[in-house]
Amino acid sequence: MIPACILVIIVICSGVFVDGSGRNASLVVNLGAICTFSSTIGSVAKIAITTAVEDINSNSSILGGTKLNVTMLDSNTSAFLGIVEALQFMEKDIVAIVGPQSSVLSHVVSHVADELQVPLLSFAATDPTLSSLQYPFFVRTTQSDFYQMAAIAEFVDYYRWKEVIALFVDDDYGRSGVSALADELEDKRCRISYKAALRPGMTKSDAVDMLVKLALMESRVIVVHVNPGSGLMIFSVAEYLGMMSNGYVWIATDWLSSYLDTHGNSIGSETMRTLQGVIVMRQHVPESEKKKAFVSRWNDLVKKEGLSSLGLNSYGLYAYDTVWLLAHALNAFLNEGGTISFSNDPMLHNAEGSKMNLEALSIFDEGKELLRRIWQTDFIGVTGHFRFDSSRDLLHPAYDVINVVGTGFRIVGYWSNYSGLSIETPEILYSKPPNISNEQLRSVIWPGDTTTQPRGWVFPNNGKQLIIGVPNRASYKEFVSLVKGTDNTMNGFCIDVFTAALNLLPYPVAYKFVPFGDGKSNPNYNELVQRVETRFFGAAVGDIAIVTNRTRLVDFTQPFAESGLVVVASTKRMKSGAWAFLKPFTLKMWCATAAFFIIMGAVVWTLEHRVNDEFRGPPRQQIVTVLWFSFSTMFFAHRENMMSTLGRFVLVMWLFVVLIINSSYTASLTSILTVQQLSSPITGIESLIASGEPIGFQIGSYAENYLIELGVSKSRLQSLRSPEDYADALEKGPTNGGVAAVVDELPYIELFLSKHCKFAIRGKMFTKSGWGFAFRRDSPLATDFSTAILSLAENGDLQRIHDKWLTNSGCASQSDDISSNQLDLRSFWGLFLICGITSVVALSIFFWRMAVMFTRHGRHHGVAEPSEGSSRTRRLRTFFSFVDEREDTSVHKSGRKNGEEPKNSHSSGRV
């Protein structure tokens, strides 16, 4: 449609344009500029463009004497007039067009620029869909809204809000910007809950209708992406409706910062009052000497145009640098021998194939070469380093985050695609490694003159109820069930927990229970969760296990009940047998205990052998002594006296270990003999899977899928409806059409075992999970309910609700099996380790002392050192013979008292 419109306009205008053929390059290069003179951006850009041309023409260091001539036309935001003006520029040998400022107009004019190969440099068209891929001759010389929306999304995520409302003008500029915002929010696991489109040229009545509708919605974070005229009207109506108060968050795109910068001194107090607490984005322009010099000239430039007051906004700075960009590109183009020439477009023909009268429409022959020079240009302007990246966007996109306060505004932080949100300027952070995880902002004064961060949402006051799906169980109705004779009245443990948590919320929630299931069999809980994910239900309340595949669909609250899969099986009572006294210890424990008895006997013998006659004698007698001493310590019945200090030290440690082992053995044996034991061939999930026998599970439980994932064949699984079915299937057993065991969640099994004492849990709980309430992804209700559940647990209300519905009764206490009372080596390895270390240390000290005494003894009796060729074995035998000798302790002590080396303190007798 657009190319067709262009052709129609060309036909209409073809008689107006003068023949442009045969024109030669001159010392004056013609430029065109399209902007809306009466707009916030256009009024500033007009002065900036004119000033840039004057500065370039007065600068002899660029263009080598060639002058720029700019023709400026007022588009009045009309796409039709924009096309006409673009065609009129071609009459004057235009080599480039600066503008237009409107994204809508840029889409249309870009078709003309592409056809006539004239670069179109827009300093204000921020629509992300305006791309050089679609429009090769379109050059964006400002930041794309893609980056602005990324900054807003990061701001929303910084405060952990999950939903926003997008209020936008329904044109290319508004729709494309909001689409980019939606994509960026999705990357942060946030979303736009409602897109409020406003028609261009909307009235105050339109604004009132729309804002009344938004006030009834859940989200309180509103992003406003419009133009200044309609934007100020929106805030005025919002203030009138009480929507600029506590709890609201208003985020405006850079249309508002441009308005504040341009008209700041002339904005009335009434307008500023309606903007209090608003967060605004503004394109960041780094401070530099060039910028300061231009800003200092601005007031004089405004007066020169006959205006009293007009501020400088960021788009004005980019408009100024856009002209300089063209100048640098033209300079490079002309310096390399480029010529400016135009020719007619041979592609424009009428329907019969004959040429139309289009002599006035000229193609810039060297347009592609100039465009290439534009993309390659690199210079320092008033906006900083002006250069394009590989995506043909300006380098280092960044935004100021502004908070409107009082009669002005303040910067609370900055955003850049390099380092995210920060209180430091982006140019400082460019010299540091990127660290987006350390984002921070200064404190914000929100609407309602508060520094408390708004929650960002409220429960919608639109008369709608929160539809809650509740499983309509056929068994275990203590957890949740439908009250007989009603349609949607539910009760049970889970319902009481939900209502107790609901009462702790700081806001009312209108809700309605909807039973899920027919009540004849338990519903499929995966389907219930999927209904929440597809928004059929707003939430799901009941005995819903928190498992991995469900957490991918919904958000769960904090668990309010512990859960996990366990195995329950039939058991038979075990009577104590003749070998019951061996059962307190495992085989490893018995072996380790016996080994340590022997080892400790050997250690004590070694330490006492030289000084204690009770540990001397013939070898057979000494072996009997060691064994007798070792095992007599078990009953503390040893008669041998300890003579050495090291022997006493080791014995004390060993007796402590024996005391602990005796006490533990006695306690375990008592338990085994006095408490009836239950036995079953099924000892846990591993033995159950290996048995190959049928396994029962509760209908609707996730246990079925879990067992299949463990490798259990589906043919082995039997679905069971009720506790009575559990008992019947377990009593029959696998040989009579029943099951070997039932796998179900712990809360159900505990309730089942409280009434059926013939069965018991086998092994340990082999999955860890819990029960929680399910909400839609990123629903703020999930967080608030989690906080309420934690409060219930802390104040004891959760336990009281549990006791009300699930108090166990009936069966006496019984142990699961004998193995649960057996003591394993793992429980005592610390004691054995301490005892072993003590023995090693004592033996080390003993042999070191013996080595010293042996050396002194050799010197005293003149024992010669072995020659180099003599056997070391002989000396080793001599040492052990010395160790084996009886030590005369009385002589040894007497010699030391007199300060003399004891003589003949070792008898020659050996054992």
Side-chain angles (χ1 to χ4, degrees):
M1 288 297 293
I2 291 177
C5 293
I6 294 173
L7 291 176
V8 172
I9 295 171
I10 289 173
V11 173
I12 295 173
C13 299
S14 60
V16 178
F17 297 148
V18 180
D19 184 359
S21 62
R23 288 173 292 191
N24 299 319
S26 65
L27 295 177
V28 176
V29 177
N30 293 321
L31 305 178
I34 305 176
C35 55
T36 304
F37 296 166
S38 60
S39 67
T40 297
I41 295 174
S43 59
V44 174
K46 179 176 178 291
I47 300 174
I49 293 171
T50 304
T51 303
V53 172
E54 293 175 354
D55 291 346
I56 293 168
N57 288 338
S58 62
N59 191 332
S60 60
S61 64
I62 192 169
L63 289 179
T66 300
K67 303 297 182 182
L68 297 181
N69 177 46
V70 61
T71 302
M72 303 191 68
L73 292 178
D74 187 359
S75 66
N76 291 316
T77 68
S78 169
F80 178 82
L81 292 178
I83 296 175
V84 174
E85 290 163 0
L87 295 173
Q88 288 176 344
F89 284 150
M90 303 306 112
E91 179 185 359
K92 301 177 182 180
D93 294 345
I94 298 296
V95 299
I97 299 176
V98 178
Q101 71 184 58
S102 165
S103 295
V104 176
L105 195 55
S106 294
H107 275 281
V108 180
V109 177
S110 290
H111 289 281
V112 178
D114 290 345
E115 181 65 26
L116 302 180
Q117 298 185 12
V118 175
L120 183 69
L121 294 83
S122 179
F123 57 87
T126 58
D127 180 355
T129 62
L130 279 168
S131 167
S132 59
L133 295 176
Q134 181 180 5
Y135 305 112
F137 282 83
F138 175 80
V139 180
R140 193 198 318 274
T141 58
T142 187
Q143 302 296 350
S144 167
D145 273 343
F146 169 80
Y147 297 108
Q148 180 172 205
M149 296 310 169
I152 293 175
E154 200 139 347
F155 182 85
V156 170
D157 183 61
Y158 176 82
Y159 286 101
R160 298 185 179 181
W161 298 315
K162 293 301 181 182
E163 294 185 352
V164 304
I165 293 173
L167 191 60
F168 63 99
V169 59
D170 194 11
D171 58 14
D172 291 337
Y173 160 74
R175 288 190 298 269
S176 299
V178 169
S179 177
L181 176 61
D183 292 340
E184 293 299 317
L185 287 172
E186 185 177 0
D187 290 342
K188 305 290 185 182
R189 284 195 61 184
C190 306
R191 70 184 190 95
I192 297 177
S193 60
Y194 184 74
K195 295 180 180 179
L198 297 168
R199 63 182 179 86
M202 69 169 189
T203 63
K204 187 174 182 178
S205 176
D206 295 332
V208 171
D209 293 341
M210 181 60 71
L211 291 180
V212 168
K213 185 177 182 180
L214 300 186
L216 298 177
M217 295 184 178
E218 180 177 307
S219 178
R220 285 292 183 261
V221 182
I222 305 174
V223 178
V224 184
H225 186 52
V226 293
N227 54 58
S230 56
L232 295 176
M233 182 192 302
I234 288 171
F235 283 112
S236 176
V237 172
E239 198 271 339
Y240 171 76
L241 295 176
M243 298 175 67
M244 300 299 297
S245 56
N246 287 348
Y248 281 91
V249 178
W250 290 87
I251 304 173
T253 52
D254 58 4
W255 65 266
L256 182 53
S257 60
S258 298
Y259 178 82
L260 294 174
D261 288 335
T262 306
H263 305 289
N265 296 331
S266 59
I267 299 176
S269 59
E270 184 68 20
T271 300
M272 291 302 299
R273 185 170 62 86
T274 64
L275 299 174
Q276 294 300 298
V278 176
I279 296 296
V280 189
M281 297 294 159
R282 179 176 67 183
Q283 295 187 64
H284 176 73
V285 179
E287 296 297 328
S288 65
E289 293 301 322
K290 283 194 173 184
K291 178 184 175 183
K292 290 179 181 178
F294 186 73
V295 171
S296 64
R297 298 169 53 196
W298 183 253
N299 288 334
D300 293 335
L301 296 174
V302 171
K303 291 178 182 178
K304 183 179 176 181
E305 293 291 324
L307 301 174
S308 58
S309 176
L310 192 67
L312 178 62
N313 58 48
S314 60
Y315 287 106
L317 296 173
Y318 279 109
Y320 182 83
D321 273 355
T322 299
V323 181
W324 273 96
L325 169 66
L326 265 175
H328 284 289
L330 281 168
N331 188 56
F333 170 75
L334 295 174
N335 286 343
E336 294 188 1
T339 59
I340 298 176
S341 62
F342 297 85
S343 61
N344 291 333
D345 187 353
M347 300 297 294
L348 297 177
H349 298 279
N350 59 16
E352 289 75 24
S354 62
K355 285 189 176 182
M356 295 187 295
N357 185 24
L358 299 176
E359 292 82 359
L361 295 177
S362 302
I363 295 176
F364 181 22
D365 296 330
E366 302 296 329
K368 291 183 179 179
E369 183 62 24
L370 178 60
L371 179 66
R372 184 176 68 85
R373 293 297 176 185
I374 290 173
W375 291 126
Q376 294 176 350
T377 299
D378 185 350
F379 70 100
I380 304 299
V382 295
T383 58
H385 190 186
F386 205 101
R387 183 164 68 89
F388 296 98
D389 59 19
S390 58
S391 302
R392 296 186 173 178
D393 289 322
L394 290 180
L395 280 180
H396 302 316
Y399 285 84
D400 301 334
V401 182
I402 295 172
N403 185 201
V404 180
V405 180
T407 58
F409 54 82
R410 64 191 185 98
I411 297 177
V412 296
Y414 305 91
W415 176 90
S416 73
N417 68 334
Y418 178 78
S419 57
L421 296 171
S422 173
I423 58 175
E424 292 185 286
T425 58
E427 49 270 19
I428 293 177
L429 297 176
Y430 291 144
S431 60
K432 302 177 181 179
N435 187 14
I436 294 180
S437 61
N438 193 29
E439 293 181 324
Q440 55 181 324
L441 293 172
R442 299 184 182 93
S443 62
V444 174
I445 299 178
W446 305 100
D449 195 26
T450 178
T451 57
T452 303
Q453 177 187 331
R455 190 169 61 227
W457 72 281
V458 295
F459 198 78
N461 186 24
N462 54 8
K464 293 183 179 179
Q465 294 178 314
L466 178 66
I467 305 301
I468 301 175
V470 183
N472 186 14
R473 295 192 57 87
S475 62
Y476 295 113
K477 294 189 175 183
E478 294 87 346
F479 295 107
V480 59
S481 64
L482 177 66
V483 177
K484 290 183 178 180
T486 64
D487 294 331
N488 55 10
T489 302
M490 314 297 295
N491 66 3
F493 167 69
C494 300
I495 301 301
D496 280 7
V497 173
F498 173 79
T499 54
L502 184 68
N503 293 333
L504 296 179
L505 298 184
Y507 49 85
V509 177
Y511 66 92
K512 178 183 178 181
F513 287 141
V514 176
F516 179 73
D518 56 10
K520 298 178 181 178
S521 62
N522 295 329
N524 188 304
Y525 281 63
N526 287 334
E527 291 183 6
L528 174 60
V529 171
Q530 288 171 359
R531 294 288 184 94
V532 177
E533 192 263 342
T534 58
R535 297 181 176 270
F536 183 84
F537 291 132
V541 170
D543 47 341
I544 306 171
I546 305 173
V547 293
T548 303
N549 64 327
R550 295 174 184 173
T551 58
R552 298 190 183 104
L553 304 177
V554 297
D555 283 348
F556 281 95
T557 62
Q558 175 78 16
F560 60 85
E562 182 184 3
S563 182
L565 295 179
V566 293
V567 176
V568 62
S570 297
T571 58
K572 60 180 180 179
R573 302 188 184 279
M574 294 287 294
K575 297 182 179 179
S576 299
W579 300 99
F581 68 91
L582 295 176
K583 293 177 181 178
F585 288 166
T586 61
L587 179 60
K588 289 183 179 180
M589 183 63 185
W590 279 118
C591 293
T593 304
F596 259 85
F597 270 111
I598 297 173
I599 291 171
M600 295 310 299
V603 170
V604 172
W605 177 86
T606 302
L607 298 175
E608 292 288 322
H609 179 65
R610 286 175 54 82
V611 298
N612 195 335
D613 291 334
E614 295 183 3
F615 287 89
R616 300 186 66 82
R620 181 178 298 179
Q621 178 183 341
Q622 292 184 58
I623 293 173
V624 172
T625 300
V626 169
L627 295 176
W628 164 254
F629 175 80
S630 299
F631 290 100
S632 64
T633 56
M634 181 185 299
F635 312 102
F636 304 96
H638 55 285
R639 296 173 299 175
E640 293 78 7
N641 294 321
M642 297 292 102
M643 301 295 293
S644 68
T645 303
L646 292 175
R648 292 169 181 167
F649 177 65
V650 171
L651 181 62
V652 168
M653 295 303 300
W654 174 240
L655 291 177
F656 173 72
V657 173
V658 170
L659 175 64
I660 300 300
I661 292 175
N662 280 343
S663 302
S664 303
Y665 175 86
T666 303
S668 180
L669 182 61
T670 302
S671 175
I672 291 173
L673 295 177
T674 57
V675 178
Q676 288 183 326
Q677 305 296 323
L678 301 177
S679 177
S680 170
I682 304 299
T683 58
I685 185 63
E686 293 83 4
S687 63
L688 177 60
I689 294 175
S691 68
E693 295 178 339
I695 303 173
F697 68 92
Q698 183 183 174
I699 292 178
S701 171
Y702 74 95
E704 178 184 11
N705 291 334
Y706 189 84
L707 290 170
I708 292 174
E709 291 176 3
L710 291 180
V712 178
S713 172
K714 196 169 184 179
S715 60
R716 290 178 56 189
L717 301 178
Q718 292 187 15
S719 59
L720 304 173
R721 293 175 177 272
S722 64
E724 291 71 25
D725 291 344
Y726 284 20
D728 183 59
L730 289 171
E731 286 177 352
K732 287 181 179 179
T735 57
N736 297 316
V739 296
V742 171
V743 175
D744 205 352
E745 296 178 62
L746 181 62
Y748 303 126
I749 296 302
E750 287 179 339
L751 196 59
F752 170 74
L753 293 179
S754 68
K755 301 176 182 177
H756 299 82
C757 304
K758 300 178 182 179
F759 315 105
I761 296 175
R762 309 300 298 166
K764 298 179 180 179
M765 185 165 58
F766 57 92
T767 66
K768 293 284 187 180
S769 63
W771 287 352
F773 304 137
F775 292 88
R776 296 171 184 169
R777 291 297 296 270
D778 301 319
S779 171
L781 279 172
T783 301
D784 290 348
F785 264 94
S786 293
T787 304
I789 289 170
L790 288 174
S791 298
L792 292 175
E794 291 171 358
N795 62 27
D797 287 346
L798 191 60
Q799 185 61 44
R800 283 189 283 273
I801 296 173
H802 177 276
D803 295 341
K804 171 185 174 183
W805 290 95
L806 307 174
T807 301
N808 293 335
S809 61
C811 299
S813 176
Q814 53 193 18
S815 65
D816 294 342
D817 53 32
I818 293 175
S819 62
S820 65
N821 289 318
Q822 282 190 312
L823 301 175
D824 192 75
L825 180 59
R826 289 175 297 180
S827 303
F828 296 92
W829 74 267
L831 286 173
F832 288 134
L833 178 64
I834 293 173
C835 194
I837 292 174
T838 303
S839 301
V840 171
V841 171
L843 288 174
S844 300
I845 295 173
F846 172 78
F847 282 109
W848 172 79
R849 178 171 170 268
M850 289 298 99
V852 172
M853 292 176 65
F854 175 71
T855 303
R856 291 177 180 176
H857 173 73
R859 286 200 303 267
H860 180 74
H861 291 282
V863 178
E865 293 291 330
S867 63
E868 192 172 315
S870 63
S871 174
R872 294 182 181 273
T873 305
R874 183 177 177 184
R875 181 171 176 81
L876 191 60
R877 289 176 179 175
T878 304
F879 172 73
F880 280 115
S881 297
F882 174 79
V883 173
D884 190 45
E885 292 177 355
R886 175 72 165 82
E887 180 180 346
D888 191 347
T889 56
S890 62
V891 175
H892 183 72
K893 294 178 181 179
S894 173
R896 285 197 295 184
K897 287 181 180 179
N898 296 329
E900 301 177 356
E901 185 69 23
K903 300 180 180 180
N904 300 323
S905 58
H906 306 281
S907 65
S908 60
R910 292 179 173 84
V911 295

